[in-house]
Every structure is written in C-alpha cells, then in structure tokens.
C-alpha cells in the first residue's frame, strides 16, 4: 500500500500490475524532456530498475493499451527480479540499498546508453570490483543498465552476483561464433608461424589466439551485438579497473549535448611490433576512399615525423603514424559512429588484410585511427577529471581543490601518466581539440 501511495503522489502516471512484490510502470517523463518514455520496475524497497531502452512508439502503444506490465516483462526481457521478490526489511535499522525520493525521480534524465563489459566468467571478482567502483562514483545516481558480453555462456553465479552489484538492469549476451572466431580466410600455417615469431620476440600477448579474437571483436563487432542495437552510447568497462573521483555529471549527457562521439581518459604510445603494416593498410584504404577523411580531423595528432616518447618505444619504421592512441579499456562512444558506413568499410578493409592475426593489431589503435581520421577533432572528448586506473597506468586530477571537491581518493605514490614521456595527452592538447576544463562544458 505504501508503494501505491508513493506512486500516486509522485509526478508520473504508472500503469501495469504488481509483479511478485514489485510494481511495474511506465514513467511518462514528457513534461521534462518532451520525448523520454521509460519503463520501470519499482521494487519493494523503493529502489527501481529501468528496462533496456525501448522504442518509444512501442512504449506509447503499450501505454495506451495499459497492457499488463507483468505480461510485458515476462515476454520481453530477461530481467532478473530476484531482488523484487525479497521481503522488505522489517528491521527499521536496515536501510534499502538505493532509496529513492520523489524529488530525485522527477530529476531523472537518462540518455539512451549502457555500461558495457566484455569479460570471462573467471574474472568475476575483478568484474565486481569494477562495477562497485562505477556504481559508487557514478551510476548509483542514474541506474543506467549494464550489458555483459562473452564468447561462452555466463554462469548462473556470474549472472546473480553481477545482477546484485548493479543498480540498473543487467543483460547477458553470447557472442555469435562468426563475430568471435578466427575467419577461415586466415591461413593456418602462416598464422602459426607468425605466432611463433611473436613469442620469440617476447611481444605482449604475442602468442595468444584468444587475445587476437578479442581485439578483432572489439574493433568490428561489439557495436552490432543484439543487446546493443537499441542503444546510442556505450561506456566500456573492464575487469579490475577503478575510478577515483565522483563523476558529478552524466558523461553520456555531456557527450550528447556537445555532439561528442568518442571519449577517452588516457592516450599513450602503442608497441610498434604489434602493428607493422597497420598504417600502410589505413593509407591504402584512404586512397580508395579519400572522401571519408574528415576535413577537420585530428590527423595531426596521430601523424608526425618528429620522434616522441622514450627511445625504446619509437617506431623504427618510417611510418608517419606516431603510435599515439586512446587507451580503449576506457571508452565512452557513440555506437552510431561505429555502425556508420565509413567505419564499417574501414573495419572490413583492415579485417581482409589479416593483420589482426598475422600481426597483433589492437582495438585501441584501430579505434583511435578511425576516430582521428573520420571524425571532426571536436567530436573527440578528453574526460580530464574522472580519475582512472587500469594496470599499470593512472590518471587523476592534479589540482588539490579539484580532488577535494570531487572526493577523489588518489592512490599514494602513483604517478599521473598525463604528462609523462609515453603519454600522448600533451600532443592531444596541442594537435587535437585543445585543452578544455570540464567546467567549460
Ligand atoms: P589488456 O587490458 O590488454 O591487458 O587485456 P584484457 O585481458 O583485460 O582483455 C581486454 C578485455 O577483453 C577485458 O574486458 C577482458 O575481460 C576481455 N577478454 C579478453 N580475452 C577474452 C576472451 O577470450 N573472452 C572474453 N569473453 N573476454 C575476453
Ligand atoms: Mn584489461
């Protein structure tokens, strides 16, 4: 009854019925945003989950038919409602996990976006660590959904533990074999020889076949997985990472409002041994499609003849590609950029070359080169004050007042990579879209 009271007093019209102790409803937020229709499940502790974004005409249709929400849920989502089925705490010392007040709910404005993690079942402890950090520093104020992808099925344990850690709905996708496995066009003997050479030369992940499948998947297939098709933006999260500061903003909304299509925090130099012919292949592609290069691109950021960085990582080839790339374990991106004809043509051209296998092309240089050639340089965004680590590098605001205001806990003794020799960030400031502070947006 208190839920009903709550819903009646809140500023939206719920429809639908009671599902096992939870309440399903469509929140019509059109007063605020004119177009946003969201589908929610209100749980007994007043926390809520919103379902992966639905096509708004379908929602309006549902809304007008007042279709039984429980029926809709049963048939259309794999949402796990364990939580909703739990009895509310009778002990008044126990607080609900994510209390919601009507004040907060009327301020919700979500973009059509999801948090995204590709990972393996055995990485669960590190996955939970990343999720905890993401939820605490950002998502517990928004409840964006999570999408998990894997080349094998996720275990029940993985699903239930990540569902409990998330403050938004979770969904789990199995990657189709053709999107993951090494294509038949790759010559098996030549591939095996290349792997041997890479092992001999001690190149990181040089001997790994699965790593190569992963890099090709992340270069050309993640954005076309079924579970991502309805979204416009993704935020890539990897196991074992950490964010150091309160976000104090919705990065998806910032990207959308400012027309940004690719966001990064760290930029550094790639190992030249992993991509001996990548740039040549890109140049061949550009000869075929000179019209694809943006007239105001960030090409000067990724090309140079002057040596940069410590001598050991400078390319010995005379490639004009300077090895600068956005570190792709952190990415906030516009999925429609990756789904564009230009990007798909680019990916297919690279893929046909075989370099994902005969060499060890990473998705980071592949994404970075595409963003730096195909986008306007102002469509690329450096998130300067999120504070982030993925082994072995750290980035965080150097300003003490910024750290204090954003409640950053920066690990002691760690160096900020931003202006170290192997960082490309100063180059981004100079040749990319310049240095801007977050408060200027
Ligand atoms: P690194 O960051 O380059 O050291 O490589 P990671 O091992 O972190 O891999 C990058 C991302 O791909 C992480 O999110 C991994 O969980 C994921 N990943 C790597 N290999 C596989 C794989 O074989 N299967 C699946 N499902 N995920 C993988
Ligand atoms: Mn990683």
């Amino acid at each position: 009854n208190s839920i009903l009271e709550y819903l009646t007093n809140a500023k939206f019209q719920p429809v639908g019925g009671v599902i096992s102790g939870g309440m399903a409803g469509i929140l019509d937020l059109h007063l605020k945003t004119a177009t946003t229709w969201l589908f929610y499940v209100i749980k007994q502790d007043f926390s809520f989950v919103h379902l992966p974004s639905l096509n708004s005409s379908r929602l309006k249709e549902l809304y007008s038919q007042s279709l039984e929400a429980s029926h809709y849920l049963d048939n259309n989502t794999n949402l796990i409602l364990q939580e909703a089925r739990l009895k509310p705490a009778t002990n008044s010392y126990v607080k609900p996990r994510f209390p919601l007040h009507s004040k907060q709910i009327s301020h919700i404005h979500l973009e059509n976006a999801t948090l995204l993690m590709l990972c393996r079942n055995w990485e669960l402890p590190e996955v939970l660590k990343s999720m905890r950090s993401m939820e605490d520093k950002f998502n517990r104020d928004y409840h964006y959904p999570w999408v998990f992808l894997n080349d094998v099925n996720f275990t029940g344990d993985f699903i239930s533990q990540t569902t409990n850690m998330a403050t938004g709905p979770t969904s789990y996708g199995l990657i189709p074999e053709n999107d993951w496995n090494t294509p038949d066009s790759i010559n098996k003997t030549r591939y095996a020889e290349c792997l041997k050479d890479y092992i001999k030369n001690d190149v990181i992940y040089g001997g790994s076949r699965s790593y190569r499948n992963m890099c090709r998947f992340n270069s050309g297939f993640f954005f076309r997985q079924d579970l991502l098709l309805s979204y416009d933006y993704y935020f890539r999260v990897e196991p074992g990472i950490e964010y150091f500061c309160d976000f104090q903003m919705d990065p998806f909304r910032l990207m959308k409002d400012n027309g940004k299509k690719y966001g990064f925090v760290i930029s550094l130099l790639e190992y030249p041994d992993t991509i001996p012919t990548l740039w040549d292949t890109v140049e061949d592609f550009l000869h075929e499609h000179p019209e694809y290069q943006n007239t105001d691109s960030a090409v000067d950021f990724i090309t140079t003849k002057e040596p940069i960085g410590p001598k050991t990582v400078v390319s010995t080839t005379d490639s004009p590609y300077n090895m600068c790339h956005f570190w792709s374990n952190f990415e906030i991106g516009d999925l429609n950029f990756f789904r564009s004809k230009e990007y798909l043509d680019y990916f297919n051209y690279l893929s046909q070359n075989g370099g994902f296998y005969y060499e060890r092309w990473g998705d980071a240089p592949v994404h970075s080169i595409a963003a730096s050639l195909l986008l306007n340089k102002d469509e690329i965004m450096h998130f300067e004050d999120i504070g982030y680590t993925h082994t072995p590098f750290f980035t965080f605001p150097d300003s003490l007042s910024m750290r204090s205001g954003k409640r950053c806990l920066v690990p002691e003794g760690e160096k900020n990579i931003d202006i170290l020799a192997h960082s490309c960030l100063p180059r981004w400031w100079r040749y990319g879209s310049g240095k801007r502070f977050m408060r200027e947006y």
Side-chain angles (χ1 to χ4, degrees):
N1 52 351
S2 57
I3 292 175
L4 284 176
E5 243 167 59
Y6 174 74
L7 291 174
T8 315
N9 295 332
K11 277 195 181 151
F12 52 78
Q13 283 292 316
V15 296
V18 172
I19 351 155
S20 316
M23 173 87 189
I26 292 174
L27 309 194
D28 173 2
L29 299 185
H30 79 166
L31 275 183
K32 248 190 98 54
T33 66
T35 50
T36 313
W37 293 68
L38 301 167
F39 200 109
Y40 280 86
V41 177
I42 312 286
K43 301 187 207 166
Q44 271 192 333
D45 61 3
F46 283 5
S47 68
F48 71 105
V49 286
H50 88 261
L51 302 183
S53 65
L54 301 161
N55 161 316
S56 69
S57 61
R58 176 77 185 118
L59 264 183
K60 281 178 191 158
E61 185 188 316
L62 279 172
Y63 188 73
S64 65
Q65 292 170 358
S66 287
L67 194 75
E68 271 280 285
S70 53
H71 171 83
Y72 181 79
L73 285 174
D74 289 347
N75 288 299
N76 292 277
T77 80
N78 59 0
L79 188 75
I80 293 168
L81 286 170
Q82 289 168 335
E83 200 69 23
R85 296 192 186 100
L86 294 176
K87 286 233 159 66
T90 47
N91 179 337
S92 60
Y93 293 104
V94 180
K95 293 230 172 73
R97 288 200 312 173
F98 315 111
L100 256 194
H101 307 294
S102 55
K103 235 191 191 162
Q104 284 173 298
I105 222 172
S106 64
H107 284 88
I108 290 168
H109 171 117
L110 293 179
E111 300 304 338
N112 186 18
T114 187
L115 307 169
L116 171 66
M117 184 140 44
L118 167 77
C119 55
R120 294 158 284 200
N121 284 305
W122 57 262
E123 292 179 292
L124 180 60
E126 298 289 287
V127 168
L128 293 174
K129 184 177 164 228
S130 299
M131 290 182 73
R132 174 87 205 189
S133 189
M134 173 60 97
E135 292 292 354
D136 289 356
K137 304 301 190 324
F138 164 58
N139 199 42
R140 63 180 299 152
D141 298 331
Y142 294 88
H143 313 290
Y144 276 105
W146 289 85
V147 170
F148 296 89
L149 298 175
N150 195 347
D151 58 311
V152 300
N153 279 312
F154 282 112
T155 62
D157 189 41
F158 184 99
I159 292 175
S160 70
Q161 294 213 45
T162 49
T163 302
N164 284 334
M165 185 58 83
T167 71
T170 49
S171 45
Y172 302 85
L174 175 64
I175 298 163
E177 284 181 15
N178 281 341
D179 294 357
W180 184 268
N181 292 343
T182 311
D184 292 339
S185 57
I186 298 300
N187 178 310
K188 292 200 170 56
T189 337
R190 182 175 164 204
Y191 186 19
E193 287 299 315
C194 291
L195 287 181
K196 263 197 229 154
D197 278 352
Y198 269 98
I199 294 168
K200 203 174 68 199
N201 295 330
D202 217 11
V203 174
I204 185 166
Y205 297 117
S208 173
R209 291 168 191 265
S210 68
Y211 195 85
R212 285 175 169 78
N213 288 341
M214 180 276 287
C215 288
R216 180 166 161 276
F217 172 81
N218 272 333
S219 299
F221 296 95
F222 77 92
F223 48 84
R224 5 181 187 174
Q225 298 302 294
D226 284 349
L227 289 177
L228 288 178
L229 290 180
S230 63
Y231 292 112
D232 293 324
Y233 296 93
Y234 71 100
F235 189 147
R236 174 162 158 188
V237 180
E238 280 203 8
I241 56 85
E242 197 179 339
Y243 310 99
F244 300 129
C245 308
D246 283 345
F247 277 44
Q248 294 183 334
M249 47 96 193
D250 177 352
F252 295 123
R253 191 168 179 183
L254 199 150
M255 300 265 299
K256 185 167 181 208
D257 289 352
N258 293 280
K260 304 289 182 185
K261 297 188 174 163
Y262 190 87
F264 72 97
V265 288
I266 289 175
S267 174
L268 73 177
L269 297 170
E270 181 59 297
Y271 301 102
D273 288 346
T274 63
I275 51 168
T277 68
L278 174 59
W279 184 257
D280 291 345
T281 314
V282 170
E283 283 196 338
D284 292 345
F285 171 73
L286 282 181
H287 277 298
E288 265 185 36
H289 285 291
E291 76 282 8
Y292 280 2
Q293 187 171 342
N294 194 294
T295 48
D296 195 16
S297 77
V299 63
D300 292 343
F301 166 64
I302 55 166
T303 53
T304 180
K305 295 233 191 272
E306 60 201 75
I308 54 171
K311 287 227 160 45
T312 49
V313 288
V314 169
S315 169
T316 49
T317 72
D318 59 359
S319 165
Y321 178 47
N322 59 21
M323 304 293 146
C324 283
H325 64 287
F326 308 121
W327 215 25
S328 63
N329 47 66
F330 177 111
E331 266 181 347
I332 307 175
D334 182 340
L335 290 159
N336 300 310
F337 163 56
F338 290 99
R339 295 179 194 126
S340 68
K341 178 166 181 345
E342 290 82 352
Y343 185 86
L344 287 172
D345 284 353
Y346 163 84
F347 170 73
N348 289 335
Y349 197 93
L350 298 190
S351 189
Q352 270 167 25
N353 171 283
F356 283 108
Y357 298 97
Y358 304 134
E359 297 179 6
R360 208 228 63 196
W361 297 353
D363 54 279
V366 170
H367 286 187
S368 304
I369 290 173
S372 302
L373 293 176
L374 307 180
L375 295 178
N376 181 304
K377 59 181 185 299
D378 290 330
E379 290 173 325
I380 304 175
M381 162 102 199
H382 172 231
F383 284 92
E384 59 152 11
D385 58 3
I386 285 180
Y388 174 75
T389 185
H390 172 295
T391 307
F393 299 120
F394 293 78
T395 177
F396 43 78
D398 281 319
S399 145
L400 287 182
S401 67
M402 169 103 72
R403 276 198 223 173
S404 163
K406 293 178 67 91
R407 306 197 311 153
C408 308
L409 280 184
V410 171
E412 254 177 70
E414 296 297 350
K415 283 215 171 88
N416 186 349
I417 187 179
D418 289 2
I419 52 172
L420 298 186
H422 51 291
S423 167
C424 290
L425 190 58
R427 195 174 167 82
W428 174 255
W429 290 331
R430 181 154 181 204
Y431 296 104
S433 65
K435 164 95 177 128
R436 271 174 89 178
F437 293 101
M438 194 62 82
R439 61 174 171 276
E440 296 175 69
Y441 284 94

